[in-house]
Structures are given as C-alpha cells and as structure tokens.
Amino acid sequence: AWLSLHWLILPRLDEWRPQVEAQASRALGVPVHIGRIDARSSSWVPAFKLHDVVLRDSRGLEALRLPQVTASLAVSSLLSLQLRFEQLLIDGARLEVRRDAKGRLRVAGIDVDGEAVGSAGDLADWFFAQHEFVIRGGAVRWVDELRGAPPLELADVQLVVRNRLNRHDLRLDATPPTGWGQRFKLVLRARQPLLAQAGDWQRWRGTVHADFPQVLVQQLRRHVDLPFSLTQGEGALRAWADF
C-alpha cells in the first residue's frame, strides 16, 4: 500500500482531479470544484495540498471556498485503507451557514436538517474521526432567511478541533462586525459514549466555556431571542455550561 501510494498514486494525483471532484460531490451531495492538487511524498507519511476548493449549494451559489487545504495522512490510514488525516490545515476558508424560510439549516450548501441528514451524519462521523482540524484566517457568513435579519459576518476566524478516541476538544476565536463588540472565544471539551458513532454529537457530555468581552444588545437581539426584555445596552459575558 505504501509503495503504491508513493509511486503510483501521488505523482498522478492532479491528473485524477476530475474523479476526485466527482467522488467528493457524490459523498457530500453538493458540487465540488478543486483548482489544483499538489502532492509531497518525502517522508513516510505523505502530504498534499488542494488549491481553490469550492462547494456550491443547490442554487449554484458559492457556499464554501477553501483557498488552500494542507492534508497529512495518518499512519492508521495506510494500515486500515481508510482516509484519515493526522492534520487538516485550511487557510483563508470562506463559509456560509444559511437557515432558509422553512427553518432548515444548510452548512456549506449541505442540508443538515432535511433530506440529506443521513449523508450529513456520515460526514460528521468522518470529520470527528480525524486527529486534528485547523482553520486559520477564516470567515463565516450567517444568513437567516427565517428571521429576515441582515447577514452576519465573522472575520479572522481561528478554529482548532482535536479528536482522540472518544474525546473531542474545540476552540473557536472570531471577530464580529464593527458595532457588535469585541473578539470572542468559545471552548468545548466533550466525551462521546464508548460505543457511539464519532459524529453522534447529540450524545456527547462535556463543558462549554464562552468569553465575550463586549456585547451590544441592540445588535444581538436582531439575530437571537433574548430571555428578557431589553432593547439596548452594553456588557460582557463569561460563562461555563455543562451539557
């Protein structure tokens, strides 16, 4: 398997880009385009880079853009013949999360609440089985058609997800738009049941820590329903929650 990977597959990986795009499109249920694939096989565990990866939603609109993805295969991937990575590093990701008028949620064009929930569950199982997932300098755009609120965009998004056996650690740092407040942080530490699937996050148990140094209420209430009556104000929030 190692010889085939280094001598037959990696040198011709970009030639097989159309087949990789087609397989990824079938797996995710949305069109996937990859600009170029570069491979490096100078070590025991090979690595490769994907350039200009774009996912489009059912309307043909761009839902996710990944300018560069660096992937290092895990040794267990070579032994088990399953696609697992030691690290997935993404620079400059541009992601759209949309809730339509019927309340269904789409992440990067993938319907996670509707008919495609099965494939979304398979994707979650695969994602939370990877060792480390890192996003640097990303951006997230939240579109809420159900509420009718203006789009919300988070800048300089830094995300780190580490998965080890039945443990999952996540940290998110992001900067809200001007007039919303200051940069905030979310940290999650969770464990999944011993026999549960990796992507069955509804069964996880753990702790979430949120740190919002500054929040402007008049902006926040345009996107969420507050549990109290307040039209304007400014404050800070630091909280720990067990789930």
Side-chain angles (χ1 to χ4, degrees):
W2 183 86
L3 289 175
S4 299
L5 180 66
H6 280 264
W7 294 95
L8 298 178
I9 298 177
L10 290 179
R12 303 179 55 190
L13 196 57
D14 193 57
E15 299 178 17
W16 295 336
R17 179 162 38 88
Q19 291 86 343
V20 174
E21 291 175 334
Q23 185 171 354
S25 299
R26 287 193 298 269
L28 298 177
V30 296
V32 178
H33 172 75
I34 303 174
R36 189 176 82 254
I37 303 177
D38 296 328
R40 185 178 73 250
S41 59
S42 58
S43 63
W44 168 257
V45 180
F48 54 89
K49 290 184 178 180
L50 282 68
H51 301 268
D52 295 324
V53 180
V54 176
L55 275 66
R56 299 188 180 276
D57 60 19
S58 57
R59 294 174 292 184
L61 301 177
E62 183 178 303
L64 175 65
R65 175 174 288 272
L66 308 176
Q68 180 174 289
V69 180
T70 303
S72 300
L73 285 175
V75 174
S76 59
S77 179
L78 301 180
L79 299 177
S80 63
L81 299 181
Q82 295 180 349
L83 189 59
R84 291 189 178 181
F85 297 97
E86 189 64 33
Q87 183 187 66
L88 279 168
L89 172 61
I90 299 176
D91 290 304
R94 298 293 182 267
L95 170 67
E96 180 183 274
V97 182
R98 179 183 296 268
R99 184 168 66 167
D100 64 20
K102 296 181 180 179
R104 293 193 301 185
L105 189 65
R106 293 181 179 271
V107 179
I110 301 173
D111 186 354
V112 299
D113 285 333
E115 298 177 356
V117 68
S119 60
D122 294 339
L123 180 61
D125 287 338
W126 178 86
F127 176 82
F128 288 111
Q130 308 310 309
H131 291 170
E132 184 175 73
F133 179 85
V134 180
I135 291 180
R136 300 186 302 195
V140 176
R141 185 170 186 262
W142 164 247
V143 180
D144 194 345
E145 297 176 351
L146 179 63
R147 183 178 289 271
L152 171 63
E153 298 193 10
L154 301 177
D156 193 17
V157 176
Q158 313 288 341
L159 174 67
V160 178
V161 181
R162 292 190 175 97
N163 305 297
R164 291 293 186 270
L165 296 177
N166 66 330
R167 178 178 173 179
H168 307 280
D169 295 325
L170 179 151
R171 172 167 175 159
L172 171 68
D173 296 82
T175 301
T178 303
W180 270 80
Q182 299 178 11
R183 185 172 178 82
F184 64 87
K185 174 180 67 177
L186 293 173
V187 178
L188 178 145
R189 289 190 171 184
R191 291 182 180 274
Q192 70 184 55
L194 183 61
L195 300 179
Q197 294 291 327
D200 190 7
W201 54 267
Q202 293 94 337
R203 299 178 61 190
W204 290 2
R205 303 174 69 92
T207 301
V208 177
H209 169 57
D211 186 4
F212 293 82
Q214 182 190 38
V215 178
L216 301 181
V217 175
Q218 58 267 37
Q219 295 286 1
L220 183 63
R221 64 192 300 269
R222 300 170 70 181
H223 293 270
V224 298
D225 294 323
L226 300 177
F228 45 80
S229 178
L230 187 62
T231 58
Q232 60 181 354
E234 179 181 342
L237 169 67
R238 181 177 295 170
W240 288 261
D242 294 328
F243 63 91

